[in-house]
Amino acid sequence: MAIDFRRDGAVATIRIARPEKLNALSLAMYQDLGKAFIEAAADDAIRSIVLAGEGERAFCVGADLTESIPALASDRFDISEWDPAHLKNVPLYKPIVCAIRGLCIGGGFEIMLATDIRIAAEDAVFQLPEAVHGFVPAGGTLVRLIRQIGHAHAMEILLTAQRFSSSEMLAKGVVNRVLPAAEVEPAARELAERMAALSPSAVQTIKQAALTLQDLPYREAFAAEAKLGQRTFISEDARRGLAAFATRAKR
């Protein structure tokens, strides 16, 4: 199975496992990736997710072009079906940590942008080469990248189609940390476990707010924020947390 899904406690690991093809995604793998995210979203025991690629040569080099280009050209394939933002009836507000080793190119770059925290190997390589081939990175990147980092940085990545190092991606705000390759997955796992130990109501509400409030006018955004905040204040997680705080304060 080219998309591997495993649970370990409250953390799920989704792994793109086609190392002999640099983890290039077939059409079936895109569908299986979406199914893995749906499974993680629906399982209440899972509180956070690590997304990684098999092997050290590549996180993912994107779509297998021999399949995807004919399918996209004939409108037989929706390149966004895998995307957590487009999962039908199953919103995924659980945090996703991306572990990036080796090549992160094209669709692989796009998949990385759908995650929340990114840990990259020192020798990882990043590129959106689509403009070289006459098309565009339309698997969420044209929406996400300009919102996640500054305009000038986003335009340089999108318009030049050149390769960038991990240190350059760190400077542009695309990744959070750069580590030796052997430390990437352990660090991603540690972060996922840390978030899994926190209140799932609070963590998932924070992510929901980050994804849904940014484009609302200020007045509407503040009103929606208040509703989300009130939802957490009356949650069972908050009741337990406040009770524990009160007990400590009395000591």
Side-chain angles (χ1 to χ4, degrees):
M1 186 174 186
I3 300 295
D4 184 58
F5 181 92
R6 300 188 184 187
R7 300 175 185 81
D8 185 2
V11 177
T13 298
I14 299 174
R15 190 179 302 279
I16 304 169
R18 197 187 181 195
E20 71 282 3
K21 295 291 186 180
L22 299 177
N23 294 324
L25 293 160
S26 66
L27 300 186
M29 288 171 67
Y30 271 109
Q31 294 177 346
D32 289 341
L33 184 60
K35 291 175 183 176
F37 281 127
I38 290 171
E39 186 172 352
D43 188 340
D44 290 338
I46 293 173
R47 295 188 175 187
S48 62
I49 301 162
V50 172
L51 178 64
E54 184 71 29
E56 296 187 2
R57 296 173 61 205
F59 164 67
C60 176
V61 296
D64 185 331
L65 298 183
T66 59
E67 283 190 4
S68 62
I69 294 302
L72 288 167
S74 60
D75 200 24
R76 293 185 287 109
F77 175 52
D78 181 353
I79 201 168
S80 297
E81 285 186 349
W82 63 271
D83 196 325
H86 299 108
L87 298 182
K88 296 176 176 63
N89 303 317
V90 190
L92 180 53
Y93 295 133
K94 298 173 183 181
I96 307 171
V97 185
C98 192
I100 305 146
R101 297 185 296 175
L103 299 173
C104 181
I105 292 177
F109 195 117
E110 299 198 279
I111 290 168
M112 174 195 65
L113 290 182
T115 67
D116 303 298
I117 300 175
R118 298 128 193 195
I119 312 298
E122 292 170 335
D123 60 353
V125 175
F126 300 80
Q127 184 185 24
L128 290 172
E130 284 81 354
V132 172
H133 307 296
F135 50 95
V136 301
T141 294
L142 299 179
V143 175
R144 286 192 172 102
L145 189 59
I146 195 68
R147 302 183 189 204
Q148 293 182 5
I149 65 174
H151 176 90
H153 288 321
M155 290 298 99
E156 182 182 10
I157 295 168
L158 286 163
L159 296 177
T160 67
Q162 72 186 61
R163 292 192 170 196
F164 295 89
S165 67
S166 289
S167 60
E168 289 173 316
M169 289 291 97
L170 181 65
K172 294 179 187 301
V174 175
V175 303
N176 298 81
R177 299 183 194 173
V178 175
L179 299 172
E183 298 177 19
V184 168
E185 283 204 37
R189 174 78 193 189
E190 181 181 356
L191 275 169
E193 289 178 343
R194 177 179 179 83
M195 292 184 289
L198 301 175
S199 158
S201 173
V203 168
Q204 292 177 40
T205 299
I206 289 169
K207 180 169 178 177
Q208 180 180 358
L211 294 179
T212 61
L213 302 186
Q214 61 181 320
D215 294 322
L216 295 177
Y218 260 45
R219 186 179 297 275
E220 293 179 29
F222 281 125
E225 179 191 52
K227 289 181 180 179
L228 290 172
Q230 185 61 25
R231 186 178 74 189
T232 63
F233 291 137
I234 63 175
S235 70
E236 185 63 20
D237 286 351
R239 187 192 67 77
R240 288 194 296 266
L242 291 171
F245 177 80
T247 298
R248 290 194 299 270
K250 291 177 181 178
R251 293 174 182 170

